[in-house]
Amino acid sequence: MRFGAAVLRSPEGRFTVEQVALDAGPAPDEVLVRIAGCGMCRTDLAVRRSAGRSPLPAVLGHEGAGVVVETGGPDTRPAVGDHVVLSFDSCGHCHACLGGAPAYCDSFAELNLFGGRTENAARFADAAGIPLAPRWFGQSSFAEYAMVPARNAVRVDPALPVELLGPLGCGFLTGAGAVLNTFGAGPGDALAVLGAGAVGLAAIMAAAAAGAVVVAVDRHPERLAMAERFGAVPLYGTGGLADRIRRLTDGGVRYALDTTVSPELINEALRALRPTGHLGLVARLHQTLPLEPGALDRGRKLSHICEGDAVPGLLIPRLTKLWQAGRFPFDQLIRTYPLDEINEAEHDCETGRVVKPVLIPAS
């Protein structure tokens, strides 16, 4: 089948919307999804900054949502007509997957970042027959259609606006999952969120929904205004950050979430933790992190959190229910763009003009 998709051919090039082809229908463990909307995540754009690590040319996009139009067999679930949110790929049989931690799948990098499943390598091509990299994050959903492993697709209520739900599969899942899964934050807990972008704002919404006290830190007043609207106490700038957080939270926070990867801010967040507190990092560090003496004393913990420690089939429905109850208003972070305006969406995302672009295919 042929359909429109946004192709990235080089790390420094622009996306081009063109016709691509899949040469076969879904296998027994796959479903074909007509994409209604796909969020743009900074992980998609990181391909430009890690030239050579992820194969190109490729169709990126890993926050897709849409409707199943074909399955690999009568027993495949989800079924034709189901509305689904697409999340990251995992093998389903390694120790981590079997233990309910698919974000730490033994094959996570291979399946999501470095070319997908080897059996699919020859199935995807451009109009000239030139092979495209197999599925990005099991999806490649900057497109009108996506062929995905059935385990990637999470069924959602068809009454929901499916075109807006894609970011629940990664960015919003990561922030909310860190708060609800990793930290298990609840009423009375104090939490600091460093960086009020898509992940940070999702964390703030989830913390407010859980009854926690939230402090938001950012350099951009407009982002802090959004954080305050979602229930956070805003802190502008970074000077004397640990002391200011402690003053606002009666001695310090139990949890902190960093989205900035700034060594200076990470150390400030560690100083703001109470004994036994936990600081989670959701972005990959690209430099050495020097910790101050005593940073992890008295039971304090520092860890990296991948995909919000989520089982997508459990957390995504939980987030949609919170949204329906008015307690997780993620739609207020979204601006939609036609798929053929993907380069404008990227520019707006990179410059901070929009928190979460969502691309809407023509079909």
Side-chain angles (χ1 to χ4, degrees):
M1 67 177 296
R2 293 181 179 272
F3 52 90
V7 179
L8 186 68
R9 295 190 171 275
S10 68
E12 66 281 356
R14 288 169 62 86
F15 287 96
T16 57
V17 178
E18 53 191 80
Q19 290 290 298
V20 300
L22 278 170
D23 66 2
D29 61 346
E30 293 178 327
V31 295
L32 179 67
V33 177
R34 183 177 68 248
I35 298 297
C38 181
M40 176 175 281
C41 178
R42 291 192 179 275
T43 301
D44 295 307
L45 307 182
V47 170
R48 298 190 183 282
R49 295 184 286 274
S50 58
R53 298 186 70 228
S54 298
L56 296 176
V59 177
L60 304 178
H62 67 286
E63 292 184 343
V67 181
V68 176
V69 295
E70 187 178 354
T71 71
D75 298 324
T76 303
R77 294 291 181 270
V80 171
D82 283 343
H83 289 212
V84 293
V85 172
L86 308 180
S87 197
F88 57 88
D89 199 1
S90 57
C91 74
H93 53 73
C94 70
H95 182 81
C97 287
L98 293 175
Y104 304 98
C105 173
D106 289 351
S107 302
F108 185 92
E110 174 190 350
L111 295 178
N112 293 286
L113 300 170
F114 303 146
R117 297 174 183 267
T118 56
E119 63 268 27
N120 298 321
R123 297 172 63 188
F124 205 18
D126 66 13
I130 297 172
L132 299 172
R135 295 179 299 220
W136 174 251
F137 274 78
Q139 300 180 39
S140 290
S141 48
F142 286 162
E144 294 175 350
Y145 290 86
M147 189 81 78
V148 306
R151 64 182 286 106
N152 285 35
V154 178
R155 286 185 288 183
V156 292
D157 185 344
L160 297 170
V162 69
E163 70 278 5
L164 301 182
L165 300 184
L168 296 177
C170 184
F172 298 161
L173 175 106
T174 297
V179 171
L180 300 176
N181 293 332
T182 312
F183 298 154
D189 288 332
L191 167 75
V193 176
L194 282 64
V199 172
L201 288 167
I204 288 164
M205 292 179 194
V213 175
V214 195
V215 176
V217 179
D218 205 285
R219 299 177 299 171
H220 303 287
E222 65 278 8
R223 292 293 176 90
L224 285 178
M226 296 180 73
E228 187 173 19
R229 189 166 78 243
F230 299 137
V233 177
L235 268 185
Y236 177 77
T238 59
L241 183 60
D243 288 339
R244 290 193 290 155
I245 291 174
R246 284 197 293 263
R247 284 197 298 270
L248 285 171
T249 56
D250 193 27
V253 293
R254 185 174 182 187
Y255 306 113
L257 186 70
D258 178 78
T259 71
T260 71
V261 296
S262 162
E264 176 188 357
L265 293 186
I266 290 169
N267 275 289
E268 288 279 354
L270 284 169
R271 285 198 295 273
L273 288 179
R274 291 180 178 275
T276 73
H278 183 180
L279 168 61
L281 313 180
V282 295
R284 184 182 185 188
L285 288 165
H286 294 282
Q287 57 187 307
T288 300
L289 174 63
L291 295 181
E292 297 176 355
L296 298 179
D297 286 358
R298 304 189 69 192
R300 295 180 179 90
K301 181 166 68 171
L302 171 67
S303 73
H304 178 261
I305 302 169
C306 185
E307 299 287 357
D309 283 342
V311 176
L314 298 178
L315 184 57
I316 291 171
R318 182 179 179 184
L319 296 180
T320 62
K321 287 181 172 62
L322 285 173
W323 177 77
Q324 288 174 302
R327 299 171 62 200
F328 190 72
F330 68 88
D331 56 307
Q332 296 183 30
L333 306 180
I334 288 172
R335 177 179 169 185
T336 61
Y337 298 75
L339 181 61
D340 61 8
E341 293 181 10
I342 185 171
N343 293 298
E344 290 79 0
E346 178 183 9
H347 175 267
D348 290 350
C349 182
E350 288 282 63
T351 58
R353 291 182 61 189
V354 63
V355 176
K356 175 60 67 172
V358 169
L359 298 158
I360 308 294
S363 64

